[in-house]
Amino acid sequence: MALAVVLAAAGVSCRGFFVNPQLSSITVTPDSPSIKPGATVQLVANGTNSDGSKTSKLPNLTWTTSDASIATVSTGGLVRGIAVGSATITATSGSISGSTTVSVSNSTNTLTIAPQNSSVSQATTTTVNYTATSNGSNVTSSANWSSSNNAVATFATPGTATIVGQGTTTITATFTPSGGSQQTASTTLTVTP
């Protein structure tokens, strides 16, 4: 009996040490994509938990659009351009939500990079993966990638920045579509200790 009481007490106290991390924010990528009317772009929602860990498994995730006459969104996050303009696409899980603005344009000179203006720790991160999107199409492997400060990050593989040292660098992607003009997009990468 005494042993059972001790074990029960230990069980109660142990449970206090195992607290499931709670979802604290949602990030939607690619950031601020631009597509033509009739074109589509696949959005992805990723979560950050209260303990700083990342997760792509978001329970009861729902997608909504601020203006279905501009852009619609499916239950899986696929956005379709309807008419010229912009709409905010929001991903919601429970009480937490994240969003991005989708621009629908007839312009053919549109390139976006995700993630935007990221900051990573050199102690825990060796590479940062980027995605380049042109008019709703993933052109990461076709784009040319560069870092303004090779002492911070370099590129050996398209879209993958290898961390070299601490500081800030500008990441630039250039892409020339078939029969079109060269497109350029940039973002910043900050590497901390």
Side-chain angles (χ1 to χ4, degrees), residues 52-72:
S53 61
K54 306 293 184 180
T55 181
S56 59
K57 298 180 179 179
L58 303 176
N60 302 316
L61 183 67
T62 59
W63 293 89
T64 56
T65 176
S66 64
D67 192 339
S69 67
I70 300 297
T72 61

Side-chain angles (χ1 to χ4, degrees), residues 69-141:
S69 67
I70 300 297
T72 61
V73 61
S74 72
T75 56
L78 182 67
V79 175
R80 180 177 297 277
I82 304 299
V84 173
S86 61
T88 300
I89 308 299
T90 302
T92 303
S93 177
S95 61
I96 307 300
S97 63
S99 62
T100 189
T101 299
V102 175
S103 298
V104 182
S105 170
N106 288 315
S107 171
T108 58
N109 187 23
T110 302
L111 184 70
T112 58
I113 298 177
Q116 279 285 312
N117 306 324
S118 53
S119 179
V120 299
S121 169
Q122 187 180 15
T124 58
T125 306
T126 57
T127 60
V128 178
N129 293 317
Y130 289 91
T131 300
T133 303
S134 176
N135 296 320
S137 298
N138 188 326
V139 297
T140 303
S141 60

Side-chain angles (χ1 to χ4, degrees), residues 15-23 49-51 53:
R15 281 197 296 270
F17 290 103
F18 299 100
V19 178
N20 291 329
Q22 300 297 309
L23 183 66
N49 294 319
S50 54
D51 62 355
S53 61

